[in-house]
């Protein structure tokens, strides 16, 4: 794979999509509104999600036109996730419009196709019932059993956005099943990242509709985890960019010793290094999105590189944001803590940095770190 084969620049269509999503989030999801919603314990805004998913059409970016989607691809979905990361928006886009959609597209049959149409239209939210920490290349869970006829029993822990879901995609011993959220028991957890709620999902003889056989289901889930990890890098990129931009803006106006704090050489060096880190993260995230969009055979390696790098950059950017904002950065009223918590949680989501480092070593046939 050469640099010439990569499409790292944004197209005019992607820039227009970015502008639409950014305007919507600036109007409907400013930091003050996010803080207010997480304090209620119900961070999701159904009206915002409907506009984002159906009004702008972002829920169907990965869905072919014949199934009611936009017929776009991973590059466009990556742009949406950049903006959602920049706004640390509490929206189930990664779980529903990316992970669940990819799982369903990997299944055959009328039931899966019908559910994809519902997701693409923004009429339903669908979430895979897998732990948020489940990584590409890791063994898939086998905690749910089918007693026959799609009667499912078992428990799945730490499922992201389950509280916002209408339908759960459950991987059981007999394959993949669609289960109405009303048929399961949810035990909400207290997550570090309050904008992406977690819950334990318990199925006690819950009725499911079988969508795929075990082999097809596991292949579909594995493919979805790869796409999710690759596009999560774009969310981390957007988060890091916001932290850098806001920190630079603050240090231009904050004065000590009768001069802007940002004029001190030590601060300049820290910001310059962070800028370089963010620029490198953009290249890695864009490479991952492009590899997924083109179904490149190097996609698993490119995704692992992006996750191994972007996770650390997002955490460093958020930590610098909190520290360089001084005392105000440590307060609840300032949104910096939301970005730090999202960055820390994202560093565990869909595989830790260490897991992706090991994947890179394996793909490159190098000794594992």
């Amino acid at each position: 794979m050469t640099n010439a084969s990569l499409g790292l620049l944004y197209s005019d269509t992607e820039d227009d999509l970015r502008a639409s999503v950014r305007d919507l989030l600036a109007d409907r999801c400013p930091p003050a509104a996010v803080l207010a919603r997480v304090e209620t314990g119900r961070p999701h805004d159904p009206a915002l999600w409907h506009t984002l998913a159906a009004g702008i059409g972002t829920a169907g970016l990965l869905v072919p036109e014949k199934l009611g989607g936009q017929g776009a691809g991973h590059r466009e979905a990556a742009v949406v996730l950049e903006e959602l990361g920049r706004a640390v928006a509490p929206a189930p886009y990664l779980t529903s419009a990316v992970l669940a959609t990819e799982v369903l597209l990997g299944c055959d049959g009328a039931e899966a196709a019908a559910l994809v149409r519902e997701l693409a239209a923004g009429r339903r939210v669908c979430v895979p019932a897998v732990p948020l920490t489940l990584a590409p290349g890791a063994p898939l869970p086998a905690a749910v059993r089918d007693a026959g006829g799609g009667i499912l029993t078992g428990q799945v822990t730490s499922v992201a956005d389950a509280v916002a879901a209408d339908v759960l995609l459950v991987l059981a011993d007999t394959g993949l099943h669609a289960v109405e959220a009303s048929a399961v028991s949810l035990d909400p957890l207290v997550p570090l990242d309050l904008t992406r709620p977690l819950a334990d999902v318990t199925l006690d003889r819950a009725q499911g509709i079988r969508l795929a056989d075990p082999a097809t289901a596991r292949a579909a889930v594995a493919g979805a985890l790869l796409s999710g990890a690759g596009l999560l890098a774009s969310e981390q990129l957007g988060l890091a960019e916001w932290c850098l931009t806001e920190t630079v803006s603050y240090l231009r106006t904050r004065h000590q010793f009768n001069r802007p704090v940002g004029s001190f050489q030590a601060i300049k060096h820290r910001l310059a290094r962070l800028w370089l880190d963010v620029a490198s993260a953009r290249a890695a995230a864009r490479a991952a999105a492009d590899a997924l969009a083109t179904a490149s055979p190097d996609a698993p390696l490119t995704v692992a590189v992006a996750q191994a790098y972007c996770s650390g950059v997002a955490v460093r950017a958020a930590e610098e944001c909190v520290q360089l904002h001084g005392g105000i950065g440590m307060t609840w009223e300032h949104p910096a803590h939301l970005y730090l918590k999202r960055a820390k949680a994202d560093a565990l989501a869909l595989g830790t940095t260490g897991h992706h480092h090991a994947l890179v070593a394996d793909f490159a046939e190098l000794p594992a770190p």
Side-chain angles (χ1 to χ4, degrees):
M1 181 176 65
T2 64
N3 289 337
S5 68
L6 293 176
L8 301 186
L9 300 180
Y10 297 99
S11 67
D12 291 341
T13 300
E14 290 165 356
D15 286 336
D16 291 342
L17 175 62
R18 179 191 305 282
S20 297
V21 175
R22 184 175 295 188
D23 287 346
L24 171 66
L25 295 176
D27 181 53
R28 304 271 291 277
C29 193
V34 176
L35 281 167
R37 292 199 69 86
V38 298
E39 287 179 339
T40 67
R42 300 179 63 86
H44 293 117
D45 181 351
L48 171 65
W49 173 249
H50 178 76
T51 304
L52 179 68
I56 298 180
T58 62
L61 288 176
L62 297 179
V63 179
E65 292 183 24
K66 66 180 181 180
L67 292 178
Q70 306 300 322
H74 298 84
R75 291 170 57 94
E76 291 79 6
V79 169
V80 175
L81 280 163
E82 281 184 39
E83 294 307 310
L84 292 174
R86 184 189 297 271
V88 71
Y93 190 83
L94 179 67
T95 47
S96 184
V98 175
L99 291 173
T101 298
E102 290 275 29
V103 171
L104 291 170
L105 290 175
C107 300
D108 298 322
E111 294 86 355
L115 192 49
V116 166
R117 290 181 180 276
E118 293 290 300
L119 266 62
R123 289 190 289 267
R124 309 201 87 185
V125 173
C126 187
V127 170
V130 297
L132 180 61
T133 54
L134 186 62
L140 298 180
V144 178
R145 301 295 176 185
D146 185 354
I151 304 300
L152 307 178
T153 300
Q155 184 181 62
V156 184
T157 60
S158 301
V159 177
D161 295 326
V163 295
D166 302 303
V167 179
L168 296 169
L169 299 180
V170 179
L171 185 62
D173 55 347
T174 55
L176 186 74
H177 298 259
V179 180
E180 293 292 328
S182 58
V184 307
S185 175
L186 298 179
D187 183 15
L189 306 176
V190 181
L192 174 63
D193 175 16
L194 298 176
T195 66
R196 182 169 281 153
L198 302 176
D200 291 342
V201 176
T202 301
L203 301 97
D204 184 8
R205 298 187 61 78
Q207 178 65 61
I209 299 175
R210 190 169 182 265
L211 303 177
D213 61 76
T216 301
R218 290 184 171 274
V221 172
L225 292 174
L226 179 66
S227 293
L231 295 183
L232 179 62
S234 291
E235 177 180 295
Q236 293 164 328
L237 168 63
L239 185 155
E241 281 195 318
W242 183 93
C243 291
L244 175 60
T245 301
E246 289 299 311
T247 302
V248 170
S249 177
Y250 176 77
L251 294 177
R252 282 175 173 168
T253 58
R254 173 66 175 171
H255 284 66
Q256 284 188 349
F257 306 110
N258 204 31
R259 58 187 289 193
V261 173
S263 67
F264 291 102
Q265 189 175 33
I267 299 298
K268 289 181 179 180
H269 287 172
R270 289 171 67 170
L271 293 175
R273 179 187 174 187
L274 185 57
W275 184 89
L276 290 172
D277 287 344
V278 172
S280 298
R282 176 178 297 282
R286 292 296 291 167
D290 187 72
L292 291 168
T294 58
S296 167
D298 289 321
L301 172 60
T302 309
V303 166
V305 169
Q307 264 305 298
Y309 188 75
C310 293
S311 288
V313 171
V315 171
R316 286 197 300 274
E319 289 175 342
E320 289 285 66
C321 181
V322 171
Q323 186 172 25
L324 294 178
H325 271 80
I328 191 175
M330 300 297 294
T331 63
W332 179 268
E333 290 75 15
H334 195 279
H337 68 93
L338 293 176
Y339 288 83
L340 179 58
K341 292 169 183 174
R342 172 68 71 88
K344 289 284 191 179
D346 278 358
L348 301 176
L350 299 172
T352 63
T353 301
H355 174 84
H356 290 286
H357 277 148
L359 288 179
V360 171
D362 184 52
F363 293 139
E365 299 182 352
L366 297 172

